Amino acid sequence: DTGVSQDPRHKITKRGQNVTFRCDPISEHNRLYWYRQTLGQGPEFLTYFQNEAQLEKSRLLSDRFSAERPKGSFSTLEIQRTEQGDSAMYLCASSFEGLYEQYFGPGTRLTVT
Amino acid sequence: SQKIEQNSEALNIQEGKTATLTCNYTNYSPAYLQWYRQDPGRGPVFLLLIRENEKEKRKERLKVTFDTTLKQSLFHITASQPADSATYLCALDLLGYSSASKIIFGSGTRLSIRP
């Protein structure tokens, strides 16, 4: 399968711990996006990359959040000092420049206890 | 700030009928609008995109309309089937004619098709 993959699918962590999620986009896609989704809401934009450059970050993305895409392929999203409010589904999507539709991965469900 | 409203949190209709979902937006004039389907525990799946200069777009049993005067899009599923049961999300671009970058999603409408 050549779709977007995310790892892990589920993560349970204690408040105050750091977590890191990985996203592998569709190989020929040069744009990569991170979203956060809570129950009953649509995905909320967090940040996006074109190749390895991070071109936009949401104001929702506090200093505890950082994302990288070092070689323009996979990306990581790290949350430091997790809080209970960080519990959500974290979705990654990719697209090819020039095409508007985004292809989403299955998400990583984070539970902070 | 930009705001997207989807007509209802949940919609229940009988199999075979046409489901109509509504997406309204304010404070912006998007160049295009997208509809996605999301099943529980999974990521959204792209369905259709309609541009501001298009009134209507069709794909199999799906039809989308886009009225930039009313700032509204309607999403129709004809001859609905239980397998169409899912949450449907409306999404707008925020950066106009340039390639896709930042889009914002509505909160979705949960559609249930009963046999």
Side-chain angles (χ1 to χ4, degrees):
Chain A
D1 187 300
T2 56
V4 178
S5 62
Q6 292 187 246
D7 184 69
R9 293 293 307 277
H10 303 274
K11 178 72 177 178
I12 300 174
T13 191
K14 293 188 176 178
R15 190 174 54 190
Q17 298 294 304
N18 299 344
V19 294
T20 300
F21 309 141
R22 176 180 170 124
C23 171
D24 286 89
I26 293 171
S27 57
E28 58 267 29
H29 287 180
N30 60 347
R31 294 190 171 212
L32 185 147
Y33 312 78
W34 284 99
Y35 294 86
R36 177 171 64 191
Q37 186 175 27
T38 54
L39 199 62
Q41 299 299 313
E44 281 182 300
F45 171 84
L46 293 178
T47 189
Y48 107 93
F49 293 83
Q50 179 160 319
N51 301 311
E52 64 276 8
Q54 188 173 19
L55 296 187
E56 188 165 350
K57 287 173 62 171
S58 166
R59 282 170 288 180
L60 296 172
L61 214 63
S62 76
D63 292 344
R64 297 184 296 107
F65 288 71
S66 61
E68 293 184 342
R69 194 182 183 198
K71 296 182 181 177
S73 56
F74 74 92
S75 175
T76 58
L77 177 69
E78 182 183 16
I79 308 174
Q80 296 183 325
R81 304 181 304 281
T82 51
E83 301 171 357
Q84 286 189 317
D86 297 331
S87 296
M89 175 77 87
Y90 289 84
L91 292 163
C92 174
S94 69
S95 72
F96 189 73
E97 186 175 0
L99 298 178
Y100 299 102
E101 59 264 34
Q102 297 185 13
Y103 293 81
F104 282 81
T108 294
R109 181 166 295 285
L110 173 66
T111 302
V112 181
T113 61
Chain B
S1 64
Q2 301 83 12
K3 189 175 177 183
I4 304 175
E5 287 185 349
Q6 294 193 238
N7 58 324
S8 57
E9 285 188 12
L11 187 64
N12 285 292
I13 68 164
Q14 181 131 35
E15 182 176 7
K17 301 290 187 186
T18 296
T20 298
L21 284 64
T22 305
C23 175
N24 293 294
Y25 59 93
T26 59
N27 298 332
Y28 193 67
S29 296
Y32 59 88
L33 183 149
Q34 303 182 52
W35 284 89
Y36 288 78
R37 167 183 173 142
Q38 188 171 26
D39 291 286
R42 308 188 76 163
V45 174
F46 172 78
L47 295 175
L48 280 168
L49 177 149
I50 186 165
R51 289 178 167 75
E52 61 174 346
N53 60 350
E54 296 176 314
K55 296 287 187 193
E56 182 179 297
K57 202 84 169 275
R58 291 176 185 259
K59 179 182 175 183
E60 299 173 351
R61 295 183 296 110
L62 308 180
K63 183 177 87 170
V64 172
T65 62
F66 194 10
D67 188 326
T68 55
T69 302
L70 292 178
K71 293 187 181 291
Q72 181 181 80
S73 174
L74 299 178
F75 176 80
H76 307 272
I77 306 175
T78 58
S80 59
Q81 304 166 1
D84 296 325
S85 298
T87 295
Y88 291 85
L89 300 160
C90 163
L92 306 180
D93 77 293
L94 290 187
L95 290 180
Y97 286 105
S98 60
S99 298
S101 51
K102 182 176 175 180
I103 59 175
I104 57 171
F105 285 86
S107 56
T109 296
R110 191 172 66 251
L111 177 66
S112 296
I113 311 296
R114 59 180 186 276

